Amino acid sequence: MRIKGKKFDGEGGEEEEQKLVVGYALTLKKKKSFLQPEFERLACKKGILFVAIDVNLPLSDQGPFDIILHKLLGKEWGDIVEDYRQTHPEVIVIDPPYAIQHLHNRQSMLQDVVDLNLSDFHGRVGVPKQMVIMKDPLSIPDEVAKAGLKLPLVAKPLVVDGSAKSHELFLACDWSSLSELEPPLVLQEFVNHDGILFKIYIVGDAIKVVRRFSLSNVNQCQLAKVPGIFPFPRVSSAAASADDANLDPRVAELPPRPLLERLSKELRHRLGLRLFNIDMIREHGTRDIFYVIDINYFPGYGKMPDYEVIFTDFLLTFKKKKCRAISCED
């Protein structure tokens, strides 16, 4: 039975108001960061009700739901959600498991950016030169040399599986140390970007950009002095915001809005996703050359300014569509 609230009509009587029921399947950590009290209060005020999905019970026996939000890993869960999508087409699933899976592989996640041509939209967007190493660490120096990649290189695990290890990044500064890396992995040329990362949050049609501190520029002299492989924190998870820092205006300038709008629109379409973020950098010494270095599904929206309002508005778009559909049936 659909959950209903009450509102008063123009004559003082009561009308039943249907709630937008959002079922969610999230880890405890994700639930805590995403479903913050202020967000839940605002959503409830707007007629949105969040209901936890019990993963130990059949999904079809729960609900009914208008929307399902989920971020759980594993093929079994993906199959459950995909089956549910097929048998409950009236429920909006955010997002399709097969589309999310595309971002779990660092080789495939950036391919859609490579295929884009945004040169006419106030800037150029590309991907740092990269290659995949599947096995045999001893062959890495030769493989890298054949591919023409230049040091330093950022080494990233090929598969993003939610584990801490899948987010371990390393900076390789000399050829001999490359054989110390553990395949399968992606090697990506490090692009100097003045220590600033642009984190671009996508929530449906909405775009929010924040600046984060990142790795400092590296020159050849520094490379010669610090051979080896060095671990560093996951850039996109850097806690230190650079939005209020006293930065050189040329460094702090956000990417052009028309460029971001076109990029997000194209990626929403190509990826088939509504919720993700793009990690972007500007090449040192340029104003309009940008690189996408990572794409993450259902990122930490709790760190995004005004996320409560932005996400509530996003969910309300589905409520409006639902109301229009009901009106058409009447």
Side-chain angles (χ1 to χ4, degrees), residues 246-319:
N246 185 20
L247 300 171
D248 183 329
R250 292 171 296 181
V251 174
E253 182 182 12
L254 295 177
R257 190 72 184 183
L259 182 71
L260 295 179
E261 290 175 350
R262 179 62 184 273
L263 175 63
S264 65
K265 180 180 180 180
E266 288 287 345
L267 288 181
R268 283 199 312 270
H269 173 70
R270 290 169 181 261
L271 296 173
L273 298 172
R274 299 179 179 94
L275 303 178
F276 59 96
N277 84 277
I278 305 163
D279 290 342
M280 178 185 283
I281 56 176
R282 175 190 285 113
E283 185 174 358
H284 168 69
T286 74
R287 185 178 182 182
D288 61 356
I289 299 178
F290 301 94
Y291 291 92
V292 174
I293 60 173
D294 214 358
I295 303 176
N296 305 288
Y297 177 68
F298 205 148
Y301 285 114
K303 299 177 183 178
M304 180 180 77
D306 304 319
Y307 97 96
E308 300 93 344
V309 174
I310 292 173
F311 217 100
T312 298
D313 288 345
F314 166 66
L315 294 175
L316 285 176
T317 61
F318 299 105
K319 186 176 183 181

Side-chain angles (χ1 to χ4, degrees), residues 75 167 222:
K75 184 178 184 302
H167 294 304
Q222 291 172 318

